[in-house]
Amino acid sequence: MKIISFLRVFNDFEYLDKTLEGALNFPGDFYIIEGSWMSAQKAGASERSDEKTYNIINKYLKLDKKYKLIQANGENEFSHCQIAMDIAIQENADWLFLFDADEVHHTQEIEETLNYLKFYKDHDSIKEIRLNSYNFCNSFKKYYDGEYFRVFRPIGNPKFIQANHCSYESNYSYIVLPNTIRYYHYNYVKKNNPASFHLKMQFFDNENPNSQSLYKQGYKEENGIYTIPVEIKDFNLPHPKIMENHPYFIDNIYQDKDINFF
């Protein structure tokens, strides 16, 4: 079974080191697609990421030859996903796995996910697979449930129509892995780069003019505190062991109590 993984990143350094460290346990090549979208540049974004982001990228390029860098400035987020799909098709991969720059996959979750990918490898009608996540918000002890397309079958002529969703030429179906298999998504526990939040909000609104603005739906950020219009729950489980030496956990920036690791 051949899996090729891709991570899209632009100025998102806060958890990138741990995302790439966790990816060491993934099989196959791991491509880092770095760069802003043309639509983001219209809002003032530079073409290339900042020095902090590139220091982390270069660390892993030197650490393991599985990591490969692609500098891109596509029209939008979809086009960077399409770069990943086109490469996966060229490489005759069985599965394409997409990463965000702020998510951590731990060993047990990776093993269980790979078992499902092996099982469904020859089920050609299954083209996409959704994974569950703990999405943390303003605390490492608060989260909301996430469920996203992360795995795609690179066959035929699929086109990304959303950042995490493909359109295939023929009829197809998708599956959702059990919610006991979850990765850790540190998407709203950020202190240094709130501008990326607003760029994403503006991008969504620009690309979906017929949808209600995300700001109007209730998404907000002020001084590094996020308001997300979903049910926020208490999180009492341990975090992945590799997060133990992350500066935000060492400094306990949210004053959380009784954080454990596994």
Side-chain angles (χ1 to χ4, degrees), residues 91-258:
E91 295 291 329
N92 293 314
D94 294 301
W95 296 109
L96 156 64
F97 204 111
L98 284 183
F99 282 70
D100 281 352
D102 51 15
E103 63 189 42
V104 172
H105 295 260
H106 55 90
T107 303
Q108 180 181 346
E109 175 247 333
I110 291 172
E111 292 177 353
E112 293 177 344
T113 299
L114 291 177
N115 286 336
Y116 276 95
L117 297 188
K118 290 176 183 177
F119 178 81
Y120 286 106
K121 173 180 173 293
D122 297 320
H123 291 65
D124 291 341
S125 63
I126 304 296
K127 297 294 197 298
E128 297 180 319
I129 298 178
R130 294 175 71 98
L131 305 184
N132 293 281
S133 64
Y134 299 113
N135 290 4
F136 296 95
C137 186
N138 301 321
S139 167
F140 297 120
K141 301 282 285 185
K142 299 287 184 180
Y143 80 101
Y144 63 92
D145 293 308
E147 182 189 295
Y148 307 101
F149 286 113
R150 279 292 187 266
V151 186
F152 307 85
R153 190 182 295 276
I155 188 172
N157 188 33
K159 299 296 181 183
F160 273 91
I161 56 175
Q162 296 178 11
N164 292 309
H165 185 41
C166 248
S167 174
Y168 289 84
E169 293 176 322
S170 58
N171 293 333
Y172 70 97
S173 58
Y174 70 87
I175 62 168
V176 182
L177 295 194
N179 64 13
T180 54
I181 304 174
R182 296 200 188 202
Y183 63 92
Y184 287 62
H185 205 171
Y186 298 98
N187 45 347
Y188 295 121
V189 277
K190 297 180 180 179
K191 291 294 187 180
N192 290 315
N193 195 20
S196 64
F197 170 84
H198 295 286
L199 281 174
K200 290 179 180 178
M201 297 300 104
Q202 293 170 14
F203 168 75
F204 179 90
D205 292 347
N206 291 338
E207 294 295 317
N208 300 274
N210 296 323
S211 298
Q212 185 183 34
S213 165
L214 289 180
Y215 290 117
K216 291 181 179 179
Q217 291 180 38
Y219 288 84
K220 298 179 182 178
E221 180 280 328
E222 186 173 0
N223 297 321
I225 301 299
Y226 298 88
T227 300
I228 309 298
V230 295
E231 180 186 1
I232 304 297
K233 305 176 182 179
D234 291 329
F235 185 79
N236 297 309
L237 298 173
H239 287 261
K241 183 70 174 178
I242 64 173
M243 299 304 295
E244 191 169 15
N245 65 350
H246 188 285
Y248 289 177
F249 283 88
I250 292 175
D251 296 339
N252 194 14
I253 64 169
Y254 292 107
Q255 301 300 306
D256 294 316
K257 295 182 179 179
D258 302 322

Side-chain angles (χ1 to χ4, degrees), residues 4-21:
I4 299 182
S5 301
F6 294 82
L7 176 145
R8 303 145 294 158
V9 61
F10 174 71
N11 281 356
D12 204 354
F13 61 86
E14 292 180 72
Y15 294 94
L16 179 60
D17 184 71
K18 295 305 178 183
T19 300
L20 293 174
E21 181 179 345

Side-chain angles (χ1 to χ4, degrees), residues 29-45:
D29 291 336
F30 192 101
Y31 288 84
I32 301 167
I33 303 178
E34 183 282 324
S36 63
W37 322 311
M38 297 296 291
S39 55
Q41 290 176 30
K42 295 175 183 177

